[in-house]
Amino acid sequence: MFRPMATASDLPPRLGSLTFHGPLSEARAGRIVARLAAVSPSTVLDIGCGWGELLLRVLESVPGATGVGLDINAEDLARGRDLAKGRGLAGRVEFAEESALGTARGPVDVVLCLGAGQALCDPEQPYDPRVVLHELRRLVRPGGCVVLGEGFWDRAPTDEELAAMWPGAHAGDHLRLGPLVDLAVEAGFRPAWIESASREEWEEFESGYRHDTELWLAMNPHHPLAAETRERVDRQRSSWADGYRDILGITYLTLVPVTRT
């Protein structure tokens, strides 16, 4: 039976199987939202928001609160706007396609920055969590709080493990958890809550990240873009399975600014 070759329009939806763009479970997200709602924020800023799922959940939990999500990915922002419209939140949230570097969108009551610290750093300089934390301190009001999702090493990686990770990976890419929290304290925060993604959360995220594409590859092995798509996905999967799995952690720090005298 003749079957016409698939076209580029048949490519899978981008990250369509993910609720959150990171290893974050429904249960953990619910606890984070509850802690943020207890602050009764009026304004929420989401740095590198993607489609802003956590931002929208905070707004749903705090009637009258307004939020802004910043990102440079137009497709993710469009998804966020659609989600907001479907939940009746379109009038209370703005998804802005703009850089967060040096943003004047603060100070606000709650700042979210989940795996997007690079958005606050000069792209011409090495990534520095100190810069991220000082920027977050600038953007949050007294009495507010910050939720920072940040990578850390669960243990020091070997040279062989680093070679299997992302291109150019080296031991200085991340800190251990203790030194990272110490930097938050130095930046003017107290760590009100420290938690880390579980192996199950990582596996849900890593599988969900590639799920739609893997199904598409199985159904379209001869598509003109199949070879390069397969190479990219196989490389991503190997960098996790053979590289940073059980070595790289993600911590979610709920940080409260210390009152300045």
Side-chain angles (χ1 to χ4, degrees), residues 71-110:
D71 208 292
I72 58 174
N73 187 295
E75 185 178 348
D76 284 348
L77 292 167
R79 178 178 172 182
R81 294 185 191 106
D82 287 343
L83 289 171
K85 183 178 180 180
R87 299 181 195 183
L89 296 171
R92 293 169 52 199
V93 65
E94 175 187 0
F95 285 95
E97 187 178 351
E98 63 186 51
S99 169
L101 184 63
T103 182
R105 293 281 189 168
V108 295
D109 299 321
V110 165

PDB file of all heavy atoms in Angstrom, residues 71-110:
ATOM      1  N   ASP A  71      10.172  35.544  28.789  1.00  0.00           N
ATOM      2  CA  ASP A  71      10.897  34.502  28.076  1.00  0.00           C
ATOM      3  C   ASP A  71      11.195  35.028  26.677  1.00  0.00           C
ATOM      4  O   ASP A  71      10.601  36.029  26.239  1.00  0.00           O
ATOM      5  CB  ASP A  71      10.074  33.217  27.993  1.00  0.00           C
ATOM      6  CG  ASP A  71      10.940  31.969  27.897  1.00  0.00           C
ATOM      7  OD1 ASP A  71      11.602  31.783  26.856  1.00  0.00           O
ATOM      8  OD2 ASP A  71      10.976  31.179  28.854  1.00  0.00           O
ATOM      9  N   ILE A  72      12.119  34.367  25.986  1.00  0.00           N
ATOM     10  CA  ILE A  72      12.446  34.774  24.620  1.00  0.00           C
ATOM     11  C   ILE A  72      11.977  33.743  23.605  1.00  0.00           C
ATOM     12  O   ILE A  72      12.252  33.885  22.414  1.00  0.00           O
ATOM     13  CB  ILE A  72      13.955  35.044  24.460  1.00  0.00           C
ATOM     14  CG1 ILE A  72      14.776  33.804  24.824  1.00  0.00           C
ATOM     15  CG2 ILE A  72      14.377  36.239  25.299  1.00  0.00           C
ATOM     16  CD1 ILE A  72      16.272  33.965  24.537  1.00  0.00           C
ATOM     17  N   ASN A  73      11.242  32.719  24.065  1.00  0.00           N
ATOM     18  CA  ASN A  73      10.729  31.696  23.164  1.00  0.00           C
ATOM     19  C   ASN A  73       9.262  31.987  22.859  1.00  0.00           C
ATOM     20  O   ASN A  73       8.390  31.805  23.708  1.00  0.00           O
ATOM     21  CB  ASN A  73      10.877  30.301  23.773  1.00  0.00           C
ATOM     22  CG  ASN A  73      10.511  29.197  22.799  1.00  0.00           C
ATOM     23  OD1 ASN A  73       9.364  29.075  22.379  1.00  0.00           O
ATOM     24  ND2 ASN A  73      11.494  28.394  22.429  1.00  0.00           N
ATOM     25  N   ALA A  74       9.000  32.452  21.653  1.00  0.00           N
ATOM     26  CA  ALA A  74       7.647  32.875  21.288  1.00  0.00           C
ATOM     27  C   ALA A  74       6.658  31.721  21.329  1.00  0.00           C
ATOM     28  O   ALA A  74       5.490  31.909  21.696  1.00  0.00           O
ATOM     29  CB  ALA A  74       7.661  33.506  19.899  1.00  0.00           C
ATOM     30  N   GLU A  75       7.099  30.512  20.960  1.00  0.00           N
ATOM     31  CA  GLU A  75       6.201  29.369  20.951  1.00  0.00           C
ATOM     32  C   GLU A  75       5.738  29.016  22.361  1.00  0.00           C
ATOM     33  O   GLU A  75       4.549  28.750  22.588  1.00  0.00           O
ATOM     34  CB  GLU A  75       6.901  28.163  20.306  1.00  0.00           C
ATOM     35  CG  GLU A  75       6.019  26.945  20.138  1.00  0.00           C
ATOM     36  CD  GLU A  75       6.737  25.796  19.451  1.00  0.00           C
ATOM     37  OE1 GLU A  75       7.835  26.019  18.910  1.00  0.00           O
ATOM     38  OE2 GLU A  75       6.198  24.674  19.463  1.00  0.00           O
ATOM     39  N   ASP A  76       6.662  29.013  23.312  1.00  0.00           N
ATOM     40  CA  ASP A  76       6.293  28.732  24.697  1.00  0.00           C
ATOM     41  C   ASP A  76       5.355  29.806  25.239  1.00  0.00           C
ATOM     42  O   ASP A  76       4.380  29.510  25.950  1.00  0.00           O
ATOM     43  CB  ASP A  76       7.543  28.651  25.577  1.00  0.00           C
ATOM     44  CG  ASP A  76       8.316  27.352  25.395  1.00  0.00           C
ATOM     45  OD1 ASP A  76       7.781  26.424  24.767  1.00  0.00           O
ATOM     46  OD2 ASP A  76       9.456  27.281  25.881  1.00  0.00           O
ATOM     47  N   LEU A  77       5.641  31.050  24.929  1.00  0.00           N
ATOM     48  CA  LEU A  77       4.799  32.151  25.410  1.00  0.00           C
ATOM     49  C   LEU A  77       3.383  32.049  24.845  1.00  0.00           C
ATOM     50  O   LEU A  77       2.402  32.303  25.560  1.00  0.00           O
ATOM     51  CB  LEU A  77       5.427  33.491  25.040  1.00  0.00           C
ATOM     52  CG  LEU A  77       6.733  33.834  25.752  1.00  0.00           C
ATOM     53  CD1 LEU A  77       7.417  35.019  25.088  1.00  0.00           C
ATOM     54  CD2 LEU A  77       6.497  34.119  27.232  1.00  0.00           C
ATOM     55  N   ALA A  78       3.269  31.672  23.590  1.00  0.00           N
ATOM     56  CA  ALA A  78       1.942  31.498  22.987  1.00  0.00           C
ATOM     57  C   ALA A  78       1.173  30.390  23.706  1.00  0.00           C
ATOM     58  O   ALA A  78      -0.038  30.512  23.936  1.00  0.00           O
ATOM     59  CB  ALA A  78       2.077  31.188  21.506  1.00  0.00           C
ATOM     60  N   ARG A  79       1.863  29.331  24.048  1.00  0.00           N
ATOM     61  CA  ARG A  79       1.227  28.250  24.813  1.00  0.00           C
ATOM     62  C   ARG A  79       0.750  28.770  26.164  1.00  0.00           C
ATOM     63  O   ARG A  79      -0.360  28.446  26.611  1.00  0.00           O
ATOM     64  CB  ARG A  79       2.203  27.099  24.989  1.00  0.00           C
ATOM     65  CG  ARG A  79       1.672  25.920  25.809  1.00  0.00           C
ATOM     66  CD  ARG A  79       2.717  24.810  25.867  1.00  0.00           C
ATOM     67  NE  ARG A  79       2.327  23.742  26.790  1.00  0.00           N
ATOM     68  CZ  ARG A  79       3.082  22.676  27.059  1.00  0.00           C
ATOM     69  NH1 ARG A  79       4.266  22.531  26.476  1.00  0.00           N
ATOM     70  NH2 ARG A  79       2.669  21.753  27.912  1.00  0.00           N
ATOM     71  N   GLY A  80       1.563  29.596  26.805  1.00  0.00           N
ATOM     72  CA  GLY A  80       1.173  30.166  28.087  1.00  0.00           C
ATOM     73  C   GLY A  80      -0.066  31.040  27.974  1.00  0.00           C
ATOM     74  O   GLY A  80      -0.959  30.991  28.822  1.00  0.00           O
ATOM     75  N   ARG A  81      -0.132  31.835  26.923  1.00  0.00           N
ATOM     76  CA  ARG A  81      -1.310  32.696  26.730  1.00  0.00           C
ATOM     77  C   ARG A  81      -2.562  31.857  26.517  1.00  0.00           C
ATOM     78  O   ARG A  81      -3.642  32.192  27.026  1.00  0.00           O
ATOM     79  CB  ARG A  81      -1.074  33.630  25.544  1.00  0.00           C
ATOM     80  CG  ARG A  81       0.042  34.641  25.777  1.00  0.00           C
ATOM     81  CD  ARG A  81       0.167  35.625  24.622  1.00  0.00           C
ATOM     82  NE  ARG A  81       1.392  36.402  24.760  1.00  0.00           N
ATOM     83  CZ  ARG A  81       2.486  36.238  24.018  1.00  0.00           C
ATOM     84  NH1 ARG A  81       2.487  35.332  23.050  1.00  0.00           N
ATOM     85  NH2 ARG A  81       3.561  36.964  24.221  1.00  0.00           N
ATOM     86  N   ASP A  82      -2.419  30.776  25.758  1.00  0.00           N
ATOM     87  CA  ASP A  82      -3.562  29.892  25.541  1.00  0.00           C
ATOM     88  C   ASP A  82      -4.014  29.251  26.851  1.00  0.00           C
ATOM     89  O   ASP A  82      -5.224  29.146  27.124  1.00  0.00           O
ATOM     90  CB  ASP A  82      -3.211  28.802  24.531  1.00  0.00           C
ATOM     91  CG  ASP A  82      -3.110  29.327  23.105  1.00  0.00           C
ATOM     92  OD1 ASP A  82      -3.613  30.438  22.845  1.00  0.00           O
ATOM     93  OD2 ASP A  82      -2.508  28.636  22.257  1.00  0.00           O
ATOM     94  N   LEU A  83      -3.062  28.811  27.659  1.00  0.00           N
ATOM     95  CA  LEU A  83      -3.398  28.214  28.954  1.00  0.00           C
ATOM     96  C   LEU A  83      -4.102  29.237  29.851  1.00  0.00           C
ATOM     97  O   LEU A  83      -5.088  28.912  30.523  1.00  0.00           O
ATOM     98  CB  LEU A  83      -2.132  27.693  29.642  1.00  0.00           C
ATOM     99  CG  LEU A  83      -1.482  26.453  29.039  1.00  0.00           C
ATOM    100  CD1 LEU A  83      -0.128  26.196  29.697  1.00  0.00           C
ATOM    101  CD2 LEU A  83      -2.383  25.232  29.191  1.00  0.00           C
ATOM    102  N   ALA A  84      -3.581  30.457  29.856  1.00  0.00           N
ATOM    103  CA  ALA A  84      -4.180  31.507  30.690  1.00  0.00           C
ATOM    104  C   ALA A  84      -5.615  31.804  30.253  1.00  0.00           C
ATOM    105  O   ALA A  84      -6.523  31.945  31.089  1.00  0.00           O
ATOM    106  CB  ALA A  84      -3.334  32.771  30.620  1.00  0.00           C
ATOM    107  N   LYS A  85      -5.823  31.868  28.953  1.00  0.00           N
ATOM    108  CA  LYS A  85      -7.169  32.129  28.438  1.00  0.00           C
ATOM    109  C   LYS A  85      -8.120  31.014  28.841  1.00  0.00           C
ATOM    110  O   LYS A  85      -9.259  31.268  29.267  1.00  0.00           O
ATOM    111  CB  LYS A  85      -7.122  32.278  26.923  1.00  0.00           C
ATOM    112  CG  LYS A  85      -8.460  32.621  26.288  1.00  0.00           C
ATOM    113  CD  LYS A  85      -8.314  32.813  24.782  1.00  0.00           C
ATOM    114  CE  LYS A  85      -9.658  33.150  24.146  1.00  0.00           C
ATOM    115  NZ  LYS A  85      -9.531  33.333  22.669  1.00  0.00           N
ATOM    116  N   GLY A  86      -7.664  29.774  28.728  1.00  0.00           N
ATOM    117  CA  GLY A  86      -8.517  28.645  29.067  1.00  0.00           C
ATOM    118  C   GLY A  86      -8.872  28.576  30.533  1.00  0.00           C
ATOM    119  O   GLY A  86      -9.887  27.972  30.900  1.00  0.00           O
ATOM    120  N   ARG A  87      -8.072  29.190  31.386  1.00  0.00           N
ATOM    121  CA  ARG A  87      -8.324  29.165  32.831  1.00  0.00           C
ATOM    122  C   ARG A  87      -8.926  30.467  33.339  1.00  0.00           C
ATOM    123  O   ARG A  87      -9.054  30.665  34.547  1.00  0.00           O
ATOM    124  CB  ARG A  87      -7.021  28.878  33.576  1.00  0.00           C
ATOM    125  CG  ARG A  87      -6.404  27.544  33.223  1.00  0.00           C
ATOM    126  CD  ARG A  87      -5.132  27.304  34.001  1.00  0.00           C
ATOM    127  NE  ARG A  87      -4.366  26.207  33.424  1.00  0.00           N
ATOM    128  CZ  ARG A  87      -3.235  25.739  33.931  1.00  0.00           C
ATOM    129  NH1 ARG A  87      -2.722  26.286  35.024  1.00  0.00           N
ATOM    130  NH2 ARG A  87      -2.599  24.740  33.345  1.00  0.00           N
ATOM    131  N   GLY A  88      -9.262  31.359  32.426  1.00  0.00           N
ATOM    132  CA  GLY A  88      -9.858  32.631  32.827  1.00  0.00           C
ATOM    133  C   GLY A  88      -8.880  33.584  33.474  1.00  0.00           C
ATOM    134  O   GLY A  88      -9.285  34.452  34.253  1.00  0.00           O
ATOM    135  N   LEU A  89      -7.595  33.466  33.130  1.00  0.00           N
ATOM    136  CA  LEU A  89      -6.564  34.292  33.763  1.00  0.00           C
ATOM    137  C   LEU A  89      -5.944  35.302  32.811  1.00  0.00           C
ATOM    138  O   LEU A  89      -5.004  36.009  33.182  1.00  0.00           O
ATOM    139  CB  LEU A  89      -5.451  33.394  34.330  1.00  0.00           C
ATOM    140  CG  LEU A  89      -5.835  32.440  35.455  1.00  0.00           C
ATOM    141  CD1 LEU A  89      -4.684  31.479  35.741  1.00  0.00           C
ATOM    142  CD2 LEU A  89      -6.200  33.222  36.713  1.00  0.00           C
ATOM    143  N   ALA A  90      -6.456  35.381  31.593  1.00  0.00           N
ATOM    144  CA  ALA A  90      -5.819  36.224  30.577  1.00  0.00           C
ATOM    145  C   ALA A  90      -5.710  37.679  31.023  1.00  0.00           C
ATOM    146  O   ALA A  90      -4.745  38.366  30.675  1.00  0.00           O
ATOM    147  CB  ALA A  90      -6.587  36.129  29.269  1.00  0.00           C
ATOM    148  N   GLY A  91      -6.663  38.162  31.792  1.00  0.00           N
ATOM    149  CA  GLY A  91      -6.635  39.549  32.238  1.00  0.00           C
ATOM    150  C   GLY A  91      -5.717  39.806  33.417  1.00  0.00           C
ATOM    151  O   GLY A  91      -5.522  40.961  33.806  1.00  0.00           O
ATOM    152  N   ARG A  92      -5.141  38.736  33.971  1.00  0.00           N
ATOM    153  CA  ARG A  92      -4.293  38.897  35.162  1.00  0.00           C
ATOM    154  C   ARG A  92      -2.840  38.511  34.929  1.00  0.00           C
ATOM    155  O   ARG A  92      -2.032  38.563  35.856  1.00  0.00           O
ATOM    156  CB  ARG A  92      -4.857  38.044  36.307  1.00  0.00           C
ATOM    157  CG  ARG A  92      -6.207  38.538  36.809  1.00  0.00           C
ATOM    158  CD  ARG A  92      -6.857  37.518  37.736  1.00  0.00           C
ATOM    159  NE  ARG A  92      -5.965  37.104  38.797  1.00  0.00           N
ATOM    160  CZ  ARG A  92      -6.109  35.998  39.520  1.00  0.00           C
ATOM    161  NH1 ARG A  92      -7.120  35.173  39.251  1.00  0.00           N
ATOM    162  NH2 ARG A  92      -5.263  35.695  40.475  1.00  0.00           N
ATOM    163  N   VAL A  93      -2.503  38.139  33.701  1.00  0.00           N
ATOM    164  CA  VAL A  93      -1.130  37.721  33.434  1.00  0.00           C
ATOM    165  C   VAL A  93      -0.678  38.246  32.077  1.00  0.00           C
ATOM    166  O   VAL A  93      -1.454  38.326  31.135  1.00  0.00           O
ATOM    167  CB  VAL A  93      -1.000  36.173  33.489  1.00  0.00           C
ATOM    168  CG1 VAL A  93      -1.809  35.525  32.377  1.00  0.00           C
ATOM    169  CG2 VAL A  93       0.455  35.739  33.430  1.00  0.00           C
ATOM    170  N   GLU A  94       0.581  38.624  32.026  1.00  0.00           N
ATOM    171  CA  GLU A  94       1.215  39.057  30.772  1.00  0.00           C
ATOM    172  C   GLU A  94       2.376  38.117  30.483  1.00  0.00           C
ATOM    173  O   GLU A  94       3.222  37.876  31.349  1.00  0.00           O
ATOM    174  CB  GLU A  94       1.731  40.486  30.900  1.00  0.00           C
ATOM    175  CG  GLU A  94       2.503  40.952  29.666  1.00  0.00           C
ATOM    176  CD  GLU A  94       3.172  42.307  29.860  1.00  0.00           C
ATOM    177  OE1 GLU A  94       3.033  42.894  30.949  1.00  0.00           O
ATOM    178  OE2 GLU A  94       3.857  42.758  28.910  1.00  0.00           O
ATOM    179  N   PHE A  95       2.411  37.594  29.265  1.00  0.00           N
ATOM    180  CA  PHE A  95       3.548  36.802  28.808  1.00  0.00           C
ATOM    181  C   PHE A  95       4.335  37.663  27.828  1.00  0.00           C
ATOM    182  O   PHE A  95       3.875  37.926  26.715  1.00  0.00           O
ATOM    183  CB  PHE A  95       3.081  35.504  28.155  1.00  0.00           C
ATOM    184  CG  PHE A  95       2.612  34.472  29.132  1.00  0.00           C
ATOM    185  CD1 PHE A  95       1.268  34.344  29.445  1.00  0.00           C
ATOM    186  CD2 PHE A  95       3.518  33.632  29.769  1.00  0.00           C
ATOM    187  CE1 PHE A  95       0.819  33.398  30.351  1.00  0.00           C
ATOM    188  CE2 PHE A  95       3.088  32.681  30.681  1.00  0.00           C
ATOM    189  CZ  PHE A  95       1.742  32.557  30.979  1.00  0.00           C
ATOM    190  N   ALA A  96       5.509  38.128  28.262  1.00  0.00           N
ATOM    191  CA  ALA A  96       6.271  39.114  27.501  1.00  0.00           C
ATOM    192  C   ALA A  96       7.497  38.471  26.858  1.00  0.00           C
ATOM    193  O   ALA A  96       8.304  37.835  27.536  1.00  0.00           O
ATOM    194  CB  ALA A  96       6.711  40.258  28.415  1.00  0.00           C
ATOM    195  N   GLU A  97       7.632  38.662  25.561  1.00  0.00           N
ATOM    196  CA  GLU A  97       8.786  38.152  24.833  1.00  0.00           C
ATOM    197  C   GLU A  97       9.916  39.176  24.955  1.00  0.00           C
ATOM    198  O   GLU A  97      10.073  40.071  24.116  1.00  0.00           O
ATOM    199  CB  GLU A  97       8.437  37.891  23.369  1.00  0.00           C
ATOM    200  CG  GLU A  97       9.554  37.206  22.596  1.00  0.00           C
ATOM    201  CD  GLU A  97       9.177  36.902  21.160  1.00  0.00           C
ATOM    202  OE1 GLU A  97       7.982  37.058  20.793  1.00  0.00           O
ATOM    203  OE2 GLU A  97      10.072  36.505  20.395  1.00  0.00           O
ATOM    204  N   GLU A  98      10.685  39.042  26.015  1.00  0.00           N
ATOM    205  CA  GLU A  98      11.784  39.973  26.253  1.00  0.00           C
ATOM    206  C   GLU A  98      12.821  39.334  27.165  1.00  0.00           C
ATOM    207  O   GLU A  98      12.543  38.399  27.905  1.00  0.00           O
ATOM    208  CB  GLU A  98      11.262  41.271  26.885  1.00  0.00           C
ATOM    209  CG  GLU A  98      10.628  41.098  28.244  1.00  0.00           C
ATOM    210  CD  GLU A  98      10.005  42.374  28.782  1.00  0.00           C
ATOM    211  OE1 GLU A  98       9.216  42.998  28.023  1.00  0.00           O
ATOM    212  OE2 GLU A  98      10.289  42.751  29.930  1.00  0.00           O
ATOM    213  N   SER A  99      14.030  39.873  27.096  1.00  0.00           N
ATOM    214  CA  SER A  99      15.118  39.393  27.938  1.00  0.00           C
ATOM    215  C   SER A  99      14.881  39.810  29.389  1.00  0.00           C
ATOM    216  O   SER A  99      14.326  40.879  29.671  1.00  0.00           O
ATOM    217  CB  SER A  99      16.442  39.978  27.449  1.00  0.00           C
ATOM    218  OG  SER A  99      17.476  39.732  28.376  1.00  0.00           O
ATOM    219  N   ALA A 100      15.311  38.952  30.304  1.00  0.00           N
ATOM    220  CA  ALA A 100      15.230  39.281  31.725  1.00  0.00           C
ATOM    221  C   ALA A 100      16.496  39.956  32.227  1.00  0.00           C
ATOM    222  O   ALA A 100      16.552  40.382  33.387  1.00  0.00           O
ATOM    223  CB  ALA A 100      14.958  38.021  32.542  1.00  0.00           C
ATOM    224  N   LEU A 101      17.515  40.068  31.372  1.00  0.00           N
ATOM    225  CA  LEU A 101      18.785  40.637  31.796  1.00  0.00           C
ATOM    226  C   LEU A 101      18.603  42.107  32.171  1.00  0.00           C
ATOM    227  O   LEU A 101      18.198  42.931  31.356  1.00  0.00           O
ATOM    228  CB  LEU A 101      19.811  40.508  30.662  1.00  0.00           C
ATOM    229  CG  LEU A 101      21.235  40.961  30.975  1.00  0.00           C
ATOM    230  CD1 LEU A 101      21.835  40.110  32.088  1.00  0.00           C
ATOM    231  CD2 LEU A 101      22.105  40.887  29.721  1.00  0.00           C
ATOM    232  N   GLY A 102      18.864  42.430  33.442  1.00  0.00           N
ATOM    233  CA  GLY A 102      18.707  43.796  33.925  1.00  0.00           C
ATOM    234  C   GLY A 102      17.276  44.280  33.939  1.00  0.00           C
ATOM    235  O   GLY A 102      17.034  45.489  33.925  1.00  0.00           O
ATOM    236  N   THR A 103      16.307  43.384  33.986  1.00  0.00           N
ATOM    237  CA  THR A 103      14.904  43.756  33.878  1.00  0.00           C
ATOM    238  C   THR A 103      14.477  44.773  34.929  1.00  0.00           C
ATOM    239  O   THR A 103      14.931  44.732  36.082  1.00  0.00           O
ATOM    240  CB  THR A 103      13.997  42.516  33.961  1.00  0.00           C
ATOM    241  OG1 THR A 103      12.631  42.911  33.798  1.00  0.00           O
ATOM    242  CG2 THR A 103      14.145  41.802  35.298  1.00  0.00           C
ATOM    243  N   ALA A 104      13.582  45.653  34.510  1.00  0.00           N
ATOM    244  CA  ALA A 104      13.000  46.643  35.421  1.00  0.00           C
ATOM    245  C   ALA A 104      11.603  46.231  35.846  1.00  0.00           C
ATOM    246  O   ALA A 104      10.817  47.060  36.308  1.00  0.00           O
ATOM    247  CB  ALA A 104      12.960  48.010  34.739  1.00  0.00           C
ATOM    248  N   ARG A 105      11.274  44.956  35.705  1.00  0.00           N
ATOM    249  CA  ARG A 105       9.936  44.459  36.029  1.00  0.00           C
ATOM    250  C   ARG A 105       9.705  44.302  37.531  1.00  0.00           C
ATOM    251  O   ARG A 105       8.583  43.996  37.944  1.00  0.00           O
ATOM    252  CB  ARG A 105       9.714  43.112  35.346  1.00  0.00           C
ATOM    253  CG  ARG A 105       9.645  43.184  33.820  1.00  0.00           C
ATOM    254  CD  ARG A 105       8.300  43.652  33.349  1.00  0.00           C
ATOM    255  NE  ARG A 105       8.141  43.529  31.911  1.00  0.00           N
ATOM    256  CZ  ARG A 105       6.985  43.651  31.277  1.00  0.00           C
ATOM    257  NH1 ARG A 105       5.876  43.892  31.959  1.00  0.00           N
ATOM    258  NH2 ARG A 105       6.912  43.538  29.970  1.00  0.00           N
ATOM    259  N   GLY A 106      10.715  44.487  38.340  1.00  0.00           N
ATOM    260  CA  GLY A 106      10.568  44.376  39.780  1.00  0.00           C
ATOM    261  C   GLY A 106      10.657  45.738  40.442  1.00  0.00           C
ATOM    262  O   GLY A 106      10.825  46.758  39.757  1.00  0.00           O
ATOM    263  N   PRO A 107      10.552  45.762  41.779  1.00  0.00           N
ATOM    264  CA  PRO A 107      10.372  44.610  42.665  1.00  0.00           C
ATOM    265  C   PRO A 107       8.916  44.137  42.732  1.00  0.00           C
ATOM    266  O   PRO A 107       7.997  44.917  42.512  1.00  0.00           O
ATOM    267  CB  PRO A 107      10.848  45.122  44.016  1.00  0.00           C
ATOM    268  CG  PRO A 107      10.574  46.600  43.977  1.00  0.00           C
ATOM    269  CD  PRO A 107      10.783  47.011  42.547  1.00  0.00           C
ATOM    270  N   VAL A 108       8.767  42.843  43.028  1.00  0.00           N
ATOM    271  CA  VAL A 108       7.457  42.216  43.135  1.00  0.00           C
ATOM    272  C   VAL A 108       7.420  41.377  44.413  1.00  0.00           C
ATOM    273  O   VAL A 108       8.421  41.225  45.110  1.00  0.00           O
ATOM    274  CB  VAL A 108       7.174  41.321  41.914  1.00  0.00           C
ATOM    275  CG1 VAL A 108       7.088  42.141  40.638  1.00  0.00           C
ATOM    276  CG2 VAL A 108       8.233  40.228  41.774  1.00  0.00           C
ATOM    277  N   ASP A 109       6.251  40.839  44.698  1.00  0.00           N
ATOM    278  CA  ASP A 109       6.079  40.067  45.929  1.00  0.00           C
ATOM    279  C   ASP A 109       6.664  38.663  45.837  1.00  0.00           C
ATOM    280  O   ASP A 109       7.191  38.144  46.822  1.00  0.00           O
ATOM    281  CB  ASP A 109       4.594  39.967  46.290  1.00  0.00           C
ATOM    282  CG  ASP A 109       3.963  41.324  46.544  1.00  0.00           C
ATOM    283  OD1 ASP A 109       4.643  42.181  47.150  1.00  0.00           O
ATOM    284  OD2 ASP A 109       2.810  41.537  46.128  1.00  0.00           O
ATOM    285  N   VAL A 110       6.537  38.039  44.678  1.00  0.00           N
ATOM    286  CA  VAL A 110       7.061  36.685  44.474  1.00  0.00           C
ATOM    287  C   VAL A 110       7.809  36.643  43.151  1.00  0.00           C
ATOM    288  O   VAL A 110       7.305  37.131  42.135  1.00  0.00           O
ATOM    289  CB  VAL A 110       5.933  35.631  44.476  1.00  0.00           C
ATOM    290  CG1 VAL A 110       6.428  34.298  43.901  1.00  0.00           C
ATOM    291  CG2 VAL A 110       5.396  35.417  45.887  1.00  0.00           C
TER     292      VAL A 110
END
